[in-house]
């Protein structure tokens, strides 16, 4: 068979890519093995008493000289990640460390080349994370540039004072013996106080919750920090994180370490000093820095799949959808929203929008004299949680067809949709003979209204959908309607909701939760 030029070119490109991937993989593996060997050598007593001296290398040549050997005799690489290109003290920070420790590896890391360019002393390096097409991948990969056992993460503007502060951090971390404490931190003198916080990250619910942590006699052990501090971590641990140097650095770091069950020990006394205070010389530059930090935080949390933060003071920050944006998930296929395939439940911003819409619609129905009841999965949520089912994506209400003329928002919808004064969209659903109220024109989270009428004591309809709740049932379930707690309000439901739900969904439906379409995705009840 004759091979065309294009086929040969494609084959060559594939082989080249495979070779590059193989080279990078081997280089990473060799680097990690070297770090582990250095760490084992250190624990056997190879390091000098100073804690920062020369390590005996695998080849027996301690701290090989020349440019290639720079920093090999040190146990710590100092990394400065958080700084702004328009105003910073990176050069001063590097000078402070290198005056005390000329052989100490110092690495400033930026997403792109800073402008104006940084002025760094000899011995300090700048690492730009953005890849360049004319350079090999390891040029922009920080794990290739750190050859020490530990990494010291420092904020902008700090100084190495007192000179032996780093040794103290190393002793504290080594004293933990490889337990849950995998990071040691200390406050920065002359900066704002540092808080030790407990951080609970629930990816299934897209939420991170911070709470205060109590202080102990020798410092606090917690899972997150708030404020200016220096942090020491083993290099191997740092680069085992999926996003080790994402910004904002502390937010990124502690979300990832909390998910792994790691803890940070915050020492009581300051470790390093900081003469540059405030960090920015003008209110305008402070505003620019705050704006960039806020933007970076939003980008980071969305990349982590975190849409809601509960702060230690109880305040909330939201990073999901709103009335002005589309909802967080796409069109639902097979009654199984996309987030269930990610082992996540309904984003909290979506639940918030559904609750707001439900309360609004129920208020309109009650004030208009329209009889309604909680239907289907919404009634199931009220019976089980007094709220929306944590993985549900809409709300269902049954209404009496005869009452529709009483409601100005519903009676004329045959001729189109209505956007009311509060931005909610009322429309007749295109999928069948029912009504839908959307959160906004941009955000299509919605409440569905299912109209029934009574015929010979049976609540029925003229048209049907494939929804389980869309079926006939005896009217005596609605005579009378009874109050039920739902989503923070008192709504109305059938007078025997258990029998009503089992008629529609089957016996034991309240006690045995399951996803809407188990054939596509089943709920792992062990994780409830």
């Amino acid at each position: 068979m004759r091979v065309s030029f294009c086929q040969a070119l494609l084959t060559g490109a594939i082989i080249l890519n495979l070779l590059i991937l193989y080279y990078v993989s081997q280089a990473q593996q060799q680097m990690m093995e070297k770090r582990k060997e250095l760490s084992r050598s250190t624990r056997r007593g190879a390091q000098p008493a100073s804690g920062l001296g020369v390590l005996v290398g695998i080849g027996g040549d301690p701290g090989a000289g020349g440019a290639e050997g720079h920093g090999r005799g040190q146990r710590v690489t100092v990394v400065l990640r958080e700084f702004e290109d328009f105003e910073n003290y990176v050069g001063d920070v590097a000078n402070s460390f290198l005056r005390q420790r000329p052989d100490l590896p110092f690495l400033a890391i930026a997403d792109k080349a800073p402008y104006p360019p940084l002025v760094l002393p000899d011995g300090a390096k700048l690492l730009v994370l953005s890849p360049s097409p004319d350079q090999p991948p390891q040029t922009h990969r920080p794990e290739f540039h750190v050859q020490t056992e530990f990494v010291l993460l420092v904020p902008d503007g700090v100084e190495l004072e007192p000179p032996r502060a780093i040794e103290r951090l190393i002793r504290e971390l080594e004293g933990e013996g490889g337990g849950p404490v995998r990071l040691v931190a200390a406050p920065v003198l002359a900066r704002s106080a540092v808080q030790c916080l407990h951080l609970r990250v629930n990816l299934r619910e897209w939420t991170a919750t911070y709470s205060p942590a109590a202080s102990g006699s020798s410092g606090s052990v917690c899972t997150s920090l708030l404020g200016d501090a220096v942090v020491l971590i083993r290099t191997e641990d740092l680069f085992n994180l999926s996003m080790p140097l994402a910004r904002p650095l502390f937010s990124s770091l502690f979300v990832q370490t909390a998910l792994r069950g790691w803890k940070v020990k915050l020492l009581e006394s300051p470790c390093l000093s900081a003469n540059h205070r405030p960090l920015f010389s003008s209110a305008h530059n402070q505003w620019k820095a705050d704006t960039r930090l806020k933007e970076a935080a939003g980008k980071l949390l969305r990349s982590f799949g975190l849409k809601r933060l509960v702060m230690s003071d109880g305040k909330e920050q939201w990073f999901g959808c709103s009335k002005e944006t589309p909802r967080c998930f796409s069109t639902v296929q097979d009654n199984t929203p996309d987030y269930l395939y990610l082992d996540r439940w309904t984003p909290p911003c979506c639940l918030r929008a559904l609750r707001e819409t439900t309360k609004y619609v129920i208020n309109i129905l009650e004030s208009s004299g329209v009889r309604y009841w909680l239907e289907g999965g919404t009634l199931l949520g009220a019976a089980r949680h007094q709220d929306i089912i944590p993985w549900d994506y809409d709300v269902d209400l049954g209404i009496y067809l005869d009452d529709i003329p009483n409601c100005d928002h519903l009676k004329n919808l045959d001729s189109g949709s209505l956007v009311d004064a509060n931005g909610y969209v009322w429309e007749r659903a295109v999928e069948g003979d029912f009504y839908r109220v959307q959160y906004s024109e941009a955000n299509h989270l919605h409440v569905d209204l299912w109209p029934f009428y009574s015929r010979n004591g049976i609540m029925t309809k003229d048209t049907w959908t494939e929804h389980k709740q869309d079926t006939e049932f005896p009217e005596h379930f609605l005579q009378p309607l009874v109050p039920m707690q739902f989503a923070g309000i008192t709504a109305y439901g059938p007078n025997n909701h258990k029998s009503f739900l089992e008629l529609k969904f089957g016996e034991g439906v309240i006690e045995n939760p399951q996803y809407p379409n188990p054939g596509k995705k089943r709920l792992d009840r062990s994780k409830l």
Side-chain angles (χ1 to χ4, degrees):
M1 182 179 67
R2 178 175 297 176
V3 178
S4 69
F5 173 76
C6 290
Q7 289 173 322
L9 188 62
L10 178 60
T11 302
I14 292 173
I15 293 172
L16 180 61
N17 280 326
L18 290 174
L19 288 173
I20 292 174
L21 288 173
Y22 174 78
Y23 167 76
V24 172
S25 175
Q26 289 296 106
Q28 286 180 305
Q29 185 175 356
Q30 291 173 7
M31 179 185 64
M32 297 306 294
E33 288 298 324
K34 182 178 178 181
R35 287 199 187 113
K36 291 179 181 178
E37 181 60 32
L38 288 173
S39 179
R40 287 193 293 268
S41 175
T42 300
R43 287 193 288 270
R44 287 195 298 266
Q47 75 275 17
S50 71
L52 280 172
V54 175
L55 284 171
V56 178
I58 296 174
D61 180 14
E68 293 297 321
H70 173 75
R72 288 185 180 178
Q74 302 293 347
R75 300 186 68 190
V76 179
T77 297
V78 179
V79 169
L80 176 51
R81 177 69 173 106
E82 290 285 358
F83 64 90
E84 300 294 345
D85 53 1
F86 55 84
E87 185 176 5
N88 61 72
Y89 299 95
V90 177
D92 291 349
V93 176
N95 273 314
S96 168
F97 279 84
L98 295 176
R99 275 197 305 266
Q100 304 277 3
R101 312 276 188 181
D103 292 329
L104 192 67
F106 187 97
L107 199 59
I109 300 179
D111 293 314
K112 60 181 182 178
Y115 180 80
L118 294 178
V119 179
L120 297 175
D122 292 340
K125 294 181 180 179
L126 171 67
L127 172 62
V128 177
L129 298 179
S130 299
S132 176
D134 62 335
Q135 295 179 344
Q138 60 267 33
T139 304
H140 306 278
R141 302 272 289 277
E143 60 267 32
F144 286 95
H145 296 259
V146 180
Q147 300 297 319
T148 56
E149 184 182 355
F150 299 99
V151 172
L152 182 66
L153 304 170
V154 301
D156 193 10
V158 302
E159 295 181 345
L160 183 54
E161 180 64 40
R164 301 186 66 81
I166 302 177
E167 287 97 322
R168 178 192 174 200
L169 293 171
I170 292 176
R171 287 195 300 269
E172 290 284 351
L173 187 54
E174 290 185 323
E176 295 297 328
V181 173
R182 307 287 279 268
L183 308 94
V184 170
V188 174
L189 183 65
R191 287 278 177 88
S192 58
V194 180
Q195 274 187 281
C196 208
L197 303 174
H198 285 307
L199 169 61
R200 185 177 66 86
V201 182
N202 190 330
L203 292 179
R204 187 179 66 184
E205 298 180 7
W206 314 74
T207 299
T209 303
Y210 294 87
S211 58
S215 298
S217 58
S218 61
S220 304
V221 174
C222 53
T223 50
S224 182
L225 301 177
L226 177 64
D228 280 324
V230 296
V231 175
L232 184 76
I233 184 173
R234 288 183 173 86
T235 303
E236 183 177 0
D237 284 345
L238 178 64
F239 291 118
N240 274 331
L241 302 178
S242 57
M243 298 174 65
L245 293 168
R247 294 187 68 189
L249 182 60
F250 275 8
S251 298
S252 167
L253 182 67
F254 293 123
V255 165
Q256 295 176 85
T257 56
L259 283 168
R260 289 159 173 79
W262 300 356
K263 296 183 182 298
V264 54
K265 183 175 183 179
L266 175 63
L267 307 182
E268 287 188 324
S269 57
C271 178
L272 303 181
S273 62
N275 292 329
H276 300 294
R277 183 179 182 184
L279 193 59
F280 299 101
S281 59
S282 68
H284 177 70
N285 279 359
Q286 183 66 61
W287 171 83
K288 284 176 64 177
D290 292 343
T291 300
R292 289 191 179 187
L293 181 64
K294 184 177 180 180
E295 292 173 351
K299 182 179 179 180
L300 172 76
L301 294 171
R302 291 184 183 95
S303 71
F304 281 166
L306 292 173
K307 299 181 181 295
R308 175 174 171 252
L309 264 60
V310 182
M311 311 309 293
S312 58
D313 59 1
K315 295 180 180 179
E316 295 181 328
Q317 295 181 13
W318 295 85
F319 298 91
C321 62
S322 67
K323 216 172 180 71
E324 291 74 33
T325 68
R327 69 184 185 185
C328 293
F329 55 95
S330 58
T331 301
V332 177
Q333 305 288 335
D334 300 317
N335 295 323
T336 307
D338 54 16
Y339 49 79
L340 290 186
Y341 293 108
L342 302 175
D343 290 322
R344 298 202 175 197
W345 289 352
T346 310
C349 48
C350 298
L351 292 174
R352 178 181 63 170
L354 285 173
R355 293 186 189 104
E356 290 179 11
T357 307
T358 303
K359 294 173 186 177
Y360 182 78
V361 170
I362 285 177
N363 182 60
I364 295 291
L365 296 178
E366 290 182 346
S367 62
S368 302
V370 176
R371 291 166 291 176
Y372 74 91
W373 60 95
L374 303 177
E375 253 290 359
T378 302
L379 178 61
L380 186 57
R384 193 186 288 153
H385 310 281
Q386 293 77 54
D387 202 349
I388 300 169
I389 294 175
W391 52 83
D392 207 354
Y393 51 89
D394 63 6
V395 168
D396 296 309
L397 301 177
I399 60 174
Y400 271 86
L401 178 65
D402 296 341
D403 292 345
I404 288 178
N406 298 337
C407 180
D408 292 337
H409 292 75
L410 292 174
K411 64 183 180 181
N412 296 319
L413 287 184
D414 287 341
S415 59
S417 63
L418 166 69
V419 181
D420 68 19
N422 294 292
Y424 294 90
V425 181
W426 300 67
E427 63 183 9
R428 196 176 190 91
V430 297
E431 301 95 325
D433 191 14
F434 63 99
Y435 299 92
R436 175 164 289 167
V437 185
Q438 295 179 358
Y439 187 45
S440 71
E441 291 183 277
N443 192 326
H444 294 172
L445 288 159
H446 56 265
V447 173
D448 286 336
L449 306 175
W450 302 87
F452 287 82
Y453 64 89
S454 178
R455 184 171 62 195
N456 300 323
I458 300 296
M459 296 300 291
T460 188
K461 299 197 323 171
D462 294 329
T463 61
W464 304 94
T465 68
E466 296 180 356
H467 292 277
K468 288 183 178 180
Q469 73 267 23
D470 199 21
T471 184
E472 294 180 334
F473 59 90
E475 189 179 11
H476 66 71
F477 283 111
L478 309 180
Q479 296 178 338
L481 292 165
V482 297
M484 298 183 70
Q485 292 303 305
F486 179 72
I489 63 171
T490 299
Y492 284 95
N495 53 56
N496 187 341
H497 64 262
K498 179 176 173 60
S499 297
F500 185 88
L501 286 167
E502 291 188 341
L503 171 68
K504 295 205 169 194
F505 293 105
E507 187 176 353
V509 65
I510 297 177
E511 299 81 9
N512 300 291
Q514 188 50 261
Y515 288 152
N517 189 345
K520 293 293 183 180
K521 178 68 176 178
R522 293 191 64 84
L523 171 66
D524 184 355
R525 296 180 188 173
S526 67
K527 296 181 180 180
L528 290 177

